[in-house]
Amino acid sequence: MVFYFAHFLFFTVLLVFSFQPYFQHPLCRRDERLALLQFKESFAIDKRASSNDPFAYPKVNLWKSQGRDCCFWEGVWCDQNTGHVIGLNLSSSCLLGSVNFNSSLFRLFHLQHLNLAFNDFNYSKIPFALANLTSLTYLNLSISFFSGQIPYELSRLTSLATLDLAPNYDFFSPKKGWLELKRPNLGSLIENLTSLEFLHLSNTKINSRIPSTLANMSSLKVIRLSHCGLFGEFLMAIFRLPKLQVLVLGYNLGLTGNLPEFQFHNELMILSIPFTSFFGKLPASIGMLSSLEYLVANNCNFSGLLPPSLGNLTKLLLLALDTNSFNGTVEMDTFLKLKCLKILSLSLNNFSLLIKTGKSTNTTTAKFEILKLGSCSLKEFPNFLHNQD
């Protein structure tokens, strides 16, 4: 009996040690733990620093109560095999201060993911030492009050898939804020970032033409470049980027161009070009954008007839075409059959909006939250509004 018990005990112990790696992970590295603590101590904690986010809270204040293993700290995650810190998400953490070039942050050499959005870095410059974090694939410094020239050194982060630096402009203090891209310019910054999928530089002073480099970045899914002072002709090839889902270019008054003939396989979900100088007709092929949810093209220079194919955009939530020069006659039924449509703005064009007379009993039409039909030559109150909640 003793023999069998000893035999059983031996194999139980052997089994436990054999599977030990599956039940434990390495503790975080001591030097990286100290680097995190020093980074924390370099800031004041002030709830006003994250006032843009009502759900903000100081994550770093929880670290002391979460043990010595930094891999279990709020906003920190580690490689399960090595224990190296590979992710740091301190967004909306009420951090007030600046990130200096010799910050302990830059001793976290294995970082792949860095999110410092929704804090207040007091209009300091983005530190060039970020280039030391060569494994970064995700960098988010948006709404964090950086200012000045975006450092050229960021162009060395060749593994980046996400670069989000916007908006850092303080709308309430117009003399403050504004990141700038002069030297390097936009083309120099992104030419080596060949893995980039998400680019957000809105409210950055770029003040240049769209670089041809952008049209060759086949991994791009999201381009947000509104309020950037862009000018010149927009490159048609950008519309043909195979993975593009979001294109936001509004409030670049000097930016001009036409919309292309779209292809059936296009994945575009958001097309936003308000307050630009885009001109010409809306192509009938726009009805092939089966994934489109937001089409915002108000205050441009478009003209011609509105294509009936707009009625094929069954996922559309927002359509804004006001303040252009569209003409002819437009049937309201084109838009009423878009059941997902919540916001429709057609005001201040040169067309007549044709609405079928007689009391409407169709309760399956769009339920609008915002409807703008000013200057559309309406002769009577639209009957379909009787079905609106």
Side-chain angles (χ1 to χ4, degrees), residues 133-337:
L133 306 178
T134 55
S135 296
L136 277 181
T137 61
Y138 180 98
L139 178 60
N140 188 347
L141 305 179
S142 62
I143 315 179
S144 49
F145 300 104
F146 283 103
S147 65
Q149 174 66 35
I150 296 173
Y152 173 76
E153 287 79 4
L154 294 189
S155 65
R156 299 174 188 167
L157 299 175
T158 55
S159 296
L160 273 183
T162 293
L163 178 60
D164 190 347
L165 304 181
N168 271 284
Y169 174 64
D170 186 349
F171 290 96
F172 300 104
S173 301
K175 294 184 179 180
K176 296 181 178 180
W178 287 110
L179 285 171
E180 298 180 352
L181 257 181
K182 295 180 180 178
R183 297 180 181 178
N185 57 27
L186 179 58
S188 299
L189 178 69
I190 65 175
E191 64 182 348
N192 295 321
L193 307 183
T194 55
S195 299
L196 205 60
E197 298 177 5
F198 183 105
L199 176 65
H200 190 184
L201 295 175
S202 294
N203 294 90
T204 298
K205 284 185 178 180
I206 297 177
N207 299 337
S208 73
R209 297 177 180 274
I210 297 282
S212 58
T213 310
L214 201 62
N216 298 321
M217 302 183 73
S218 58
S219 296
L220 272 173
K221 297 178 180 178
V222 175
I223 301 173
R224 291 183 175 271
L225 294 173
S226 60
H227 275 289
C228 289
L230 299 173
F231 58 84
E233 187 168 359
F234 186 73
L235 301 175
M236 197 76 77
I238 293 176
F239 286 108
R240 294 193 287 271
L241 290 173
K243 299 181 180 179
L244 190 64
Q245 298 175 2
V246 176
L247 181 61
V248 177
L249 301 168
Y251 300 91
N252 291 294
L253 295 176
L255 190 62
T256 186
N258 301 95
L259 294 184
E261 291 296 331
F262 294 101
Q263 303 298 318
F264 180 73
H265 59 272
N266 197 297
E267 298 182 9
L268 207 58
M269 299 172 63
I270 298 176
L271 175 58
S272 180
I273 52 174
F275 292 92
T276 63
S277 295
F278 272 77
F279 64 95
K281 297 181 179 181
L282 286 189
S285 59
I286 200 166
M288 301 178 72
L289 301 180
S290 58
S291 298
L292 198 64
E293 297 179 4
Y294 295 86
L295 175 55
V296 186
N298 56 286
N299 295 84
C300 297
N301 296 322
F302 288 109
S303 59
L305 304 176
L306 283 183
S309 59
L310 287 171
N312 298 334
L313 303 176
T314 57
K315 294 183 179 179
L316 208 59
L317 299 170
L318 186 157
L319 176 61
L321 299 175
D322 56 279
T323 320
N324 280 286
S325 299
F326 293 113
N327 55 39
T329 301
V330 179
E331 292 192 5
M332 187 64 193
D333 277 0
T334 300
F335 311 108
L336 291 179
K337 66 182 181 180

Side-chain angles (χ1 to χ4, degrees), residues 2-23:
V2 174
F3 169 78
Y4 287 111
F5 177 75
H7 199 65
F8 170 78
L9 185 62
F10 170 78
F11 280 103
T12 301
V13 172
L14 182 63
L15 187 66
V16 169
F17 278 97
S18 297
F19 285 89
Q20 192 175 16
Y22 294 94
F23 297 109

Side-chain angles (χ1 to χ4, degrees), residues 330-348:
V330 179
E331 292 192 5
M332 187 64 193
D333 277 0
T334 300
F335 311 108
L336 291 179
K337 66 182 181 180
L338 300 177
K339 299 177 184 178
C340 295
L341 194 61
K342 300 298 180 185
I343 299 175
L344 175 63
S345 184
L346 300 175
S347 300
L348 301 175

